[in-house]
Amino acid sequence: MSGPAPSKVFVITGPSGVGKGSLISLLRHRIPELELSTSATTREPRPGEQQGVDYHFLGEQEFLDRVDAGEFLEHAAYSGNHYGTLRSEVDRRIESGSPVVLEIEVQGARQIAQSMPEAVQIFIAPPALESLKERLEGRGTDSPEAIARRLEVAEEELEARDEFHHQVVNDELERALGELEGIVRSKLSESG
Ligand code: ADP
Ligand code: 5GP
């Protein structure tokens, strides 16, 4: 029996501020067929973030009710908020044959590694721990307290890097993008 090759799922993980969002946005310009799953979160929207585009922003009770209803493929508590991938976000893309990218933190990436071992896991690492602080401060979206919380978690997250199939060090954006693109294109060209 041969049907269309199943859609590929790419999990991009790594600490906050490492450049996951920047790399994914550039990657999607180079490979427009890649679709990004819109996550759900209980965190407050940042200025300019749009409901249903950047995230599905949910109240805590709604998030927990939807966890209980089995609507999440994975979910995690991170830095005082809940984040998760809705099954509906991934399933409809797989059904339409599109490759899907999940941009998620490490606990969620581990859950996907268990439930979807065929998903391609890519850990984005910083050239040094200090660069995360500089990048988070430079991004200017988080309070000093929020940055401190994210950096505490980052140390643990970095220890998990060897658990994942691929590691890309985001030292210089163009170089890291090229490496990431190479991994993704090579998987997309594999059949099955
Ligand atoms: P994440 O999505 O992992 O939290 P972002 O993509 O928001 O990280 O990047 C955090 C900040 O670091 C942004 O201001 C971004 O412009 C900057 N940045 C991303 N990649 C690099 C890089 N290779 N060198 C320097 N700054 C970077
Ligand atoms: P931020 O608040 O900066 O948007 O995201 C904080 C962290 O949550 C980032 O590491 C981001 O990758 C992660 N994240 C975003 N969406 C999800 C999700 O659906 N599931 C999980 N587990 N983490 C997510």
Side-chain angles (χ1 to χ4, degrees):
M1 278 210 312
S2 72
S7 296
K8 302 280 188 328
V9 175
F10 296 91
V11 175
I12 309 238
T13 191
S16 181
V18 76
K20 301 183 296 297
S22 310
L23 284 166
I24 291 170
S25 155
L26 293 165
L27 183 68
R28 292 180 65 223
H29 278 104
R30 294 198 180 175
I31 312 180
E33 65 186 296
L34 281 181
E35 295 212 1
L36 179 61
S37 162
T38 305
S39 294
T41 184
T42 60
R43 103 156 147 63
E44 289 296 317
R46 295 177 180 137
E49 283 186 331
Q50 286 177 273
Q51 176 68 281
V53 178
D54 298 284
Y55 277 105
H56 300 290
F57 293 100
L58 305 180
E60 172 142 5
Q61 195 56 54
E62 184 182 357
F63 192 103
L64 296 176
D65 288 347
R66 292 176 77 169
V67 169
D68 287 346
E71 289 188 38
F72 284 97
L73 196 55
E74 61 75 31
H75 63 93
Y78 172 88
S79 206
N81 289 297
H82 298 283
Y83 293 82
T85 305
L86 290 163
R87 290 180 191 282
S88 56
E89 284 284 323
V90 176
D91 289 352
R92 69 186 162 88
R93 294 185 167 98
I94 289 180
E95 276 158 27
S96 69
S98 301
V100 192
V101 175
L102 308 184
E103 194 232 291
I104 62 179
E105 53 68 72
V106 165
Q107 303 169 73
R110 286 187 176 126
Q111 293 170 40
I112 300 286
Q114 289 292 317
S115 62
M116 297 180 98
E118 70 284 8
V120 181
Q121 311 144 18
I122 306 168
F123 187 96
I124 311 292
L129 192 57
E130 300 76 64
S131 41
L132 288 180
K133 183 164 187 278
E134 285 162 20
R135 289 180 192 179
L136 284 171
E137 286 172 354
R139 189 170 70 184
T141 52
D142 300 275
S143 67
E145 297 73 31
I147 290 178
R149 276 205 303 273
R150 283 163 186 251
L151 291 173
E152 269 175 39
V153 185
E155 294 203 37
E156 263 175 57
E157 290 178 316
L158 288 175
E159 284 171 17
R161 57 200 281 171
D162 293 334
E163 294 175 24
F164 301 102
H165 296 142
H166 303 272
Q167 283 183 34
V168 173
V169 177
N170 182 16
D171 40 14
E172 202 270 303
L173 194 59
E174 274 299 314
R175 193 211 63 76
L177 175 63
E179 188 179 341
L180 179 61
E181 183 183 4
I183 294 167
V184 170
R185 283 202 190 277
S186 126
K187 290 291 165 189
L188 288 177
S189 67
E190 282 174 12
S191 56

